[in-house]
Amino acid sequence: MKLHQDVCEVLYTEKQLQQRVAELGAQITRDYQGEEVLMVCTLRGACIFYCDLIRHIDLDIKLDFIATSSYGNDTKSSGEVRLTKDLSSPISGKNVIIVEDIIDSGLTLKYLKRLFEARDAKSVRICSLLDKPEGRQTDIEGDYIGFTIPNAFVVGYGLDYAERYRNLPDVCVLDPRIYAK
Ligand code: 5GP
């Protein structure tokens, strides 16, 4: 497919993403044998990853959705995480896997992990498609990581800039001229 005019590089192609997502699904299946797992999708960035991932998990899983906000229309976190949509059921006693698109500062996941632990989940793990360790401001680590990437702003495969580009099939680096405007 032709490179979108607003991106400067493809980091991971659709094919590379599919292969890695299948590996993550297989790893989760092995690690939770005989257990039930609640897969929590963080809206909206993780939605495409989540839909692909759950179909590679051969376990008794349930689905739920949560949304937070800290970026607005910016490429940097405001530093303050707000819950904009809560889960639809209690999670007490459940194994929870939070499915995230990307870990940057780690503030979002620190907030969610604390929230779920305070609600007495049996276990809370993090599965993130991407990890940007250079941006970290907390001690949060992912338990399942698709790819570790440099400190660039990426879009595609569910990730947006000002709600655009989520439908690009590849993970791409957004041209800095777009957000400098
Ligand atoms: P954190 O709280 O770890 O700083 O950021 C987590 C959230 O910030 C992600 O779920 C994602 O929505 C957003 N984010 C962080 N880095 C990027 C990026 O490179 N591209 C996009 N599109 N979103 C990002």
Side-chain angles (χ1 to χ4, degrees), residues 14 19 33 59 66 114 123 171:
E14 207 174 347
Q19 192 178 335
Q33 271 309 303
L59 295 169
I66 199 161
R114 273 205 188 136
S123 66
V171 170

Side-chain angles (χ1 to χ4, degrees), residues 71 77 100-108 132 152-155 159-160:
Y71 274 57
S77 169
E100 177 65 297
D101 51 358
I102 184 163
I103 316 177
D104 185 14
S105 68
L107 290 165
T108 307
K132 276 203 293 202
F153 194 80
V154 293
V155 295
L159 290 116
D160 75 313

Side-chain angles (χ1 to χ4, degrees), residues 42-46 68 70-71 74-79 81 99-110 128 130-132 135-138 140 149-156 158-162 164-166 172 174:
T42 57
L43 296 169
R44 290 177 285 256
T68 58
S70 66
Y71 274 57
D74 206 344
T75 58
K76 295 230 161 38
S77 169
S78 67
V81 183
V99 181
E100 177 65 297
D101 51 358
I102 184 163
I103 316 177
D104 185 14
S105 68
L107 290 165
T108 307
L109 283 166
K110 181 126 194 160
S128 182
L130 303 171
D131 187 11
K132 276 203 293 202
R136 203 69 98 252
Q137 295 171 30
T138 62
I140 278 289
I149 64 166
N151 207 3
F153 194 80
V154 293
V155 295
L159 290 116
D160 75 313
Y161 172 64
R164 296 184 64 205
Y165 314 110
R166 291 195 197 274
C172 305
L174 185 64

Side-chain angles (χ1 to χ4, degrees), residues 5-172:
Q5 59 182 5
D6 295 351
V7 307
C8 44
E9 187 191 347
V10 171
L11 271 191
Y12 299 105
T13 62
E14 207 174 347
K15 198 169 163 208
Q16 289 170 315
L17 292 166
Q18 286 310 321
Q19 192 178 335
R20 187 68 189 120
V21 172
E23 287 169 5
L24 290 173
Q27 202 183 338
I28 291 171
T29 303
R30 281 195 301 275
D31 290 355
Y32 286 85
Q33 271 309 303
E35 303 263 357
E36 278 182 25
V37 186
L38 177 71
M39 303 294 296
V40 173
C41 176
T42 57
L43 296 169
R44 290 177 285 256
C47 65
I48 297 179
F49 170 48
Y50 180 81
C51 291
D52 285 343
L53 177 69
I54 58 173
R55 287 176 290 171
H56 288 287
I57 299 179
D58 187 9
L59 295 169
D60 190 0
I61 61 168
K62 303 250 162 56
L63 313 185
D64 209 340
F65 301 85
I66 199 161
T68 58
S69 148
S70 66
Y71 274 57
N73 282 351
D74 206 344
T75 58
K76 295 230 161 38
S77 169
S78 67
E80 190 186 314
V81 183
R82 275 187 315 118
L83 198 63
T84 54
K85 185 218 167 294
D86 204 346
L87 299 174
S88 48
S89 309
I91 56 166
S92 169
K94 295 189 178 165
N95 293 310
V96 177
I97 298 182
I98 307 172
V99 181
E100 177 65 297
D101 51 358
I102 184 163
I103 316 177
D104 185 14
S105 68
L107 290 165
T108 307
L109 283 166
K110 181 126 194 160
Y111 173 88
L112 288 178
K113 209 170 175 189
R114 273 205 188 136
L115 181 71
F116 291 176
E117 283 167 357
R119 290 180 184 182
D120 288 325
K122 180 177 171 190
S123 66
V124 182
R125 283 192 182 162
I126 293 165
C127 176
S128 182
L129 177 70
L130 303 171
D131 187 11
K132 276 203 293 202
E134 283 171 54
R136 203 69 98 252
Q137 295 171 30
T138 62
D139 56 0
I140 278 289
E141 297 291 336
D143 300 285
Y144 303 96
I145 297 292
F147 300 99
T148 300
I149 64 166
N151 207 3
F153 194 80
V154 293
V155 295
Y157 195 62
L159 290 116
D160 75 313
Y161 172 64
E163 293 306 324
R164 296 184 64 205
Y165 314 110
R166 291 195 197 274
N167 54 330
L168 300 185
D170 309 316
V171 170
C172 305

